[in-house]
Amino acid sequence: MSATSATSTSLAIDGLVSGLKTSDLINSLMSIEQVPQTLLKSKVTTTNSFISSLQTINGLVQSLATKASAAAKTNSLDVYSASSSATNATVSTSASATPGSVSFTVGQTAAAQVGVTAAMSSWGDTASPLTFTKPDGTSTTVTPKSGSLDDTVTAINGSAAGVTATKVAAGTDASGTKLYRLQLTSTATGAANGFTLHRGTAADVAAGTATDVLAEPGAAVVTRAADASVTLWAGTAAAQTVTSATNAFSDLLPGVSVTVSKASTDPVTITVARDTSKAQAVASGLVDALNAVTSYYASNTGVTSTTSPTSGTTSTTAGVLLGDGTTRDAVQRLTSAMSTPVNGKSPSSIGIVISKDGDFDFDAAAFQKALAADPAGTQAILTGVATTVSAAATAASDKYTGSITTAITGKQSVVKDLNTQIDSWTDRLTMRRATLQTQYAALETSLSKLQSQSSWLAGQLSSMSGN
């Protein structure tokens, strides 16, 4: 029986004979009985709040561990960007890019083959096979359902020939019949994706008996399939032409992708250099990630005072992490790791400076000066600092063995146990309420019997007095 149903039942026995407010008496007694359960619920609320704060700071430390791990790589500052001297070539870099420069001219851009057939009203009276042949000799035979142009278009577009067909209006013939051309376009650019189209099977093409559709009167190859080409060191004895089936070239420089958009005899120069702003972001990102941890810890360990405007009394509230040794130890280890010298050199030499309030500031000017003067030395210091920070952050936030992670797991077990106790108290209190209701119901029954006996006796005495 739930507490609600028990209360509802108690209303039915209110003051049957005694006139007592039985439900009020039971509720008063139950409020005392419920004190242990109320304390357990309060403990669950407090512990859940603590767990939430632990999870938040653990997530911040995990983010720090990720950034520190990336910054600890021996090439974390080897971040490069590329630039192009002309608008007809764009460039991008990958992680494998290295400093360098190269010049070239753009001979031509990649093209897909486009051909159009002669004007016609239908492909033929009956369905007949068509064969597409690529430059490497690969052939695909397509057989439409009928000789109509629509069925021919459908058959071509549904085939593996690598060609799309479009029916285009081409006026009328002398009798007024509408005419159409089929525009045939290769689905990919590059010389290897060119094609011929013949009426007949592959065997007919091989035998030389098939008709070349694009060589018929009125038909034409509008655009021939072509590779894009660039020429390095043009005009010298070392001139070298590089081609690509698309307009993208990925092998001109390591880790660099170049995309051309227009042919030009003017040389284009691609330059790859260290991106100092991105390199700076690696170091400053490490500092920002640690400051996010220390800032959250500070805001959750402080003590705030609040004065009531009506009573004038002052109350203080402590941060949920105040007094927690696990997070305190983790934060101390992280700040110590960030400020530990590397090979006798302070992190402040590359712009990682500890402030008077215990946080860290990033001096961008100092970092850029160090990077320009000694890139290898700057990398070595950052790698050393980040490696130490990564180890400390991982020790605190590892998803299996981290100290904060373990604390979270422990507190979650406590909450689970508390909830089990609360459930037990719920059953116990339900039974207690039922017992009280039974007792008071018995009391009312006993009083009713006594009242009946009293009335009977009074009647008997009254009768005897009359006689």
Side-chain angles (χ1 to χ4, degrees), residues 66-359:
T66 300
K67 287 195 174 183
S69 178
K73 295 178 180 178
T74 56
N75 62 346
S76 62
L77 297 181
D78 292 341
V79 187
Y80 299 95
S81 61
S83 60
S84 171
S85 65
T87 58
N88 65 328
T90 57
V91 61
S92 61
T93 59
S94 66
S96 61
T98 58
S101 178
V102 68
S103 296
F104 57 83
T105 57
V106 182
Q108 65 180 21
T109 57
Q113 179 168 323
V114 179
V116 292
T117 66
M120 62 185 78
S121 58
S122 66
W123 195 259
D125 294 334
T126 58
S128 58
L130 303 171
T131 299
F132 290 90
T133 307
K134 289 189 174 183
D136 63 358
T138 302
S139 63
T140 302
T141 300
V142 179
T143 303
K145 290 182 178 180
S146 71
S148 74
L149 292 176
D150 289 334
D151 283 344
T152 302
V153 168
T154 299
I156 294 173
N157 290 338
S159 73
V163 177
T164 59
T166 306
K167 189 173 75 170
V168 182
T172 58
D173 60 13
S175 64
T177 302
K178 289 184 177 181
L179 300 178
Y180 299 90
R181 296 175 185 266
L182 293 190
Q183 178 175 288
L184 305 167
T185 307
S186 56
T187 55
T189 59
N193 293 303
F195 61 89
T196 59
L197 174 60
H198 290 82
R199 297 177 186 270
T201 64
D204 296 331
V205 175
T209 58
T211 302
D212 187 341
V213 174
L214 298 181
E216 292 177 340
V221 176
V222 179
T223 303
R224 294 197 175 277
D227 290 335
S229 67
V230 297
T231 301
L232 284 69
W233 314 294
T236 70
Q240 176 181 335
T241 299
V242 180
T243 61
S244 172
T246 67
N247 288 324
F249 294 82
S250 59
D251 52 0
L252 297 182
L253 288 175
V256 178
S257 178
V258 179
T259 302
V260 297
S261 58
K262 185 175 65 174
S264 175
T265 57
D266 296 329
V268 178
T269 300
I270 301 299
T271 304
V272 182
R274 186 189 298 274
D275 191 325
T276 56
S277 62
K278 289 183 179 179
Q280 177 179 308
V282 175
S284 64
L286 182 64
V287 174
D288 292 341
L290 178 58
N291 283 340
V293 175
T294 57
S295 176
Y296 182 82
Y297 179 74
S299 64
N300 283 270
T301 53
V303 178
T304 57
S305 298
T306 305
T307 302
S308 172
T310 55
S311 63
T313 58
T314 301
S315 60
T316 58
T317 304
V320 68
L321 295 178
L322 183 63
D324 176 58
T326 301
T327 51
R328 180 178 62 249
D329 179 68
V331 171
Q332 288 176 346
R333 289 176 181 273
L334 290 171
T335 54
S336 176
M338 186 70 89
S339 57
T340 300
V342 178
N343 298 325
K345 294 184 179 180
S346 170
S348 62
S349 63
I350 62 169
I352 301 176
V353 184
I354 188 169
S355 62
K356 61 181 180 181
D357 58 1
D359 288 334

